[in-house]
Amino acid sequence: MKRRNFITNTAIGATSAATLAACNQTTTPVNHEGGSSLPEIEWRMATSWPLSLDTIYGGATTTCDRVREMTDGRFDITPYPGGEIVGGLEVFDAVQNGAVECGHSASYYYIGKNPALAFGTAVPFGLTAQQQNAWLYHGGGLEAMRKIYAEFNIINFPAGNTGAQMGGWFKREINTPEDLKGLKMRIPGLGGKVMERLGVNAQALPGGEIFVALDRGAIDAAEWVGPYDDEKLGLYKAAKFYYYPGWWEPGPTLDVFVNQEAWDKLPKEYQEILQTATYEANINMLAKYDALNRDALQTLQEEHGVQLRAYSQDILQAAQTAAFELYEENASNDATFKEVYEPWKEFRDRIYFWNSINDLSIASFIAENK
Ligand code: CA
């Protein structure tokens, strides 16, 4: 087999990569024993997730595994759990400054950099997973997000979705908006900001601290993800009432972030392969969560005595009103937020009408008459 040159990311320039690919097309025909003209490249992917969140971490491993398989090991990306290279919430900075070539994280962790990044993941009373994909891939969403990411030297690719999350664990029942007042709840992000408008004392504890805080009564309620992940944290041992829906996260998208210069240096073939792998991660994570949550919910109910409760219409109405007041305020204070929010809002209203005609009408009939 022809000896291949090992070319690091820093050594390979956009021009040389293009030249190399072009040269090899003419001078080195594809070797049917598995050899190739394409360079060997090693990247690191920082993620925001502990290994214990295997489904969400799976968005990173699916992407890396598939890229490796599709390039016969020549493009090798290694994922790292949050905290190994950089902290879980420092992935954006690490990709922006080139400390790592890529990352797997959630846009909405970085709303401090630009509030409109919330739409890249999820906003309260926003889009379901299927609608997120429609908005991102065919509704102008990805272009809108990429315009923001470009300012930070990053190109982003949707690469996972948890599906609608659950509405959290409560030590006592919550029936009216009044019952929320003064409640201490672990709920980060915009969901927390909306809850604060309803009188909740919102806290942003990391995953590893939620159980102890809830168990000892330092907080009265906590949200995490959904049945599969929540069961692993043991939250059912600390609070029995499990509320739905997680109206602050109807369909959160996770993203692969790629440093723009690192991206530009990739051969076109590797760019296509990486992009294809993120599509695969996007669909695989959602499929896996849906299948696992279905089983975990049954276990929580039947083996752990968990009591399911729906948020009342009063609470949902009050929360939705508060959420859109917040968006309108953000839009009047921030031109980028307004630029994303206004077409997003129009997309949301129309796709919910369409989905009330197709998916939701058949799903609600079957769910009630199965
Ligand atoms: Ca959550």
Side-chain angles (χ1 to χ4, degrees):
M1 190 192 286
K2 201 176 165 190
R3 190 162 165 258
R4 292 180 307 217
N5 292 322
F6 181 80
I7 299 171
T8 65
N9 169 50
T10 46
I12 181 169
T15 314
S16 62
T19 310
L20 183 69
C23 286
N24 282 326
Q25 273 169 18
T26 53
T27 60
T28 312
V30 171
N31 178 336
H32 291 285
E33 291 170 12
S36 163
S37 58
L38 289 163
E40 292 191 359
I41 294 177
E42 286 184 0
W43 275 14
R44 298 191 300 170
M45 177 184 279
T47 78
S48 297
W49 329 114
L51 284 174
S52 58
L53 281 182
D54 60 306
T55 311
I56 205 161
Y57 191 78
T61 53
T62 298
T63 304
C64 298
D65 289 348
R66 295 299 291 139
V67 165
R68 201 178 298 115
E69 285 156 10
M70 287 190 274
T71 61
D72 195 25
R74 289 185 304 282
F75 186 9
D76 189 3
I77 311 175
T78 306
Y80 293 87
E84 277 205 16
I85 301 179
V86 292
L89 302 181
E90 293 160 1
V91 173
F92 187 105
D93 290 319
V95 174
Q96 182 185 0
N97 65 29
V100 291
E101 292 84 5
C102 62
H104 190 261
S105 187
S107 276
Y108 68 4
Y109 290 152
Y110 309 103
I111 53 175
K113 296 175 186 297
N114 188 318
L117 286 173
F119 293 99
T121 308
V123 299
F125 299 95
L127 305 174
T128 64
Q130 187 170 315
Q131 295 169 346
Q132 266 293 103
N133 285 334
W135 179 67
L136 287 164
Y137 292 133
H138 293 285
L142 193 52
E143 290 94 324
M145 286 299 109
R146 284 195 174 154
K147 198 172 159 191
I148 298 170
Y149 275 103
E151 294 169 21
F152 297 94
N153 199 36
I154 293 172
I155 179 167
N156 66 301
F157 300 87
N161 197 301
T162 67
Q165 297 199 358
M166 285 293 285
W169 299 86
F170 289 76
K171 285 182 177 285
R172 56 184 169 81
E173 289 185 81
I174 301 297
N175 298 309
T176 66
E178 204 59 34
D179 294 338
L180 289 169
K181 295 208 164 79
L183 204 78
K184 279 183 275 183
M185 181 174 186
R186 185 271 176 190
I187 173 170
L190 285 183
K193 290 199 191 314
V194 173
M195 280 292 199
E196 279 173 355
R197 290 180 178 226
L198 302 178
V200 169
N201 177 351
Q203 311 201 359
L205 298 174
E209 293 175 23
I210 300 174
F211 174 77
V212 172
L214 189 61
D215 196 45
R216 293 187 182 163
I219 52 175
D220 309 302
E223 73 86 44
W224 180 229
V225 183
Y228 179 71
D229 291 328
D230 293 6
E231 185 188 5
K232 283 194 287 193
L233 282 194
L235 299 179
Y236 60 88
K237 295 177 202 157
K240 278 283 176 254
F241 298 107
Y242 198 18
Y243 272 77
Y244 65 93
W247 43 262
W248 46 93
E249 288 171 297
T253 298
L254 297 316
D255 274 286
V256 164
F257 302 156
V258 180
N259 175 278
Q260 186 68 52
E261 280 95 45
W263 174 256
D264 292 341
K265 288 173 189 167
L266 284 180
K268 180 81 167 62
E269 290 90 334
Y270 288 0
Q271 290 182 341
E272 293 295 324
I273 285 168
L274 177 51
Q275 175 160 279
T276 299
T278 60
Y279 272 102
E280 188 166 329
N282 202 27
I283 192 169
N284 190 53
M285 187 194 296
L286 179 62
K288 202 168 168 188
Y289 260 120
D290 274 337
L292 291 170
N293 280 331
R294 164 187 155 276
D295 292 337
L297 184 61
Q298 189 176 11
T299 305
L300 287 170
Q301 285 188 280
E302 294 178 4
E303 294 177 23
H304 301 306
V306 166
Q307 305 277 313
L308 281 179
R309 293 287 184 276
Y311 279 110
S312 65
Q313 292 297 302
D314 283 354
I315 290 177
L316 292 174
Q317 291 288 359
Q320 182 168 243
T321 300
F324 278 84
E325 284 170 3
L326 176 67
Y327 307 152
E328 294 292 340
E329 285 173 24
N330 282 353
S332 61
N333 296 331
D334 184 304
T336 309
F337 191 95
K338 183 179 160 84
E339 194 181 316
V340 178
Y341 167 67
E342 289 184 344
W344 171 89
K345 171 76 165 57
E346 199 184 316
F347 185 93
R348 166 197 185 264
D349 294 350
R350 278 188 291 127
I351 202 162
Y352 268 107
F353 176 68
W354 163 234
N355 285 164
S356 73
I357 302 297
N358 69 338
D359 287 2
L360 296 176
S361 66
I362 187 63
S364 58
F365 174 82
I366 296 172
E368 285 161 23
N369 299 280
K370 60 187 182 301

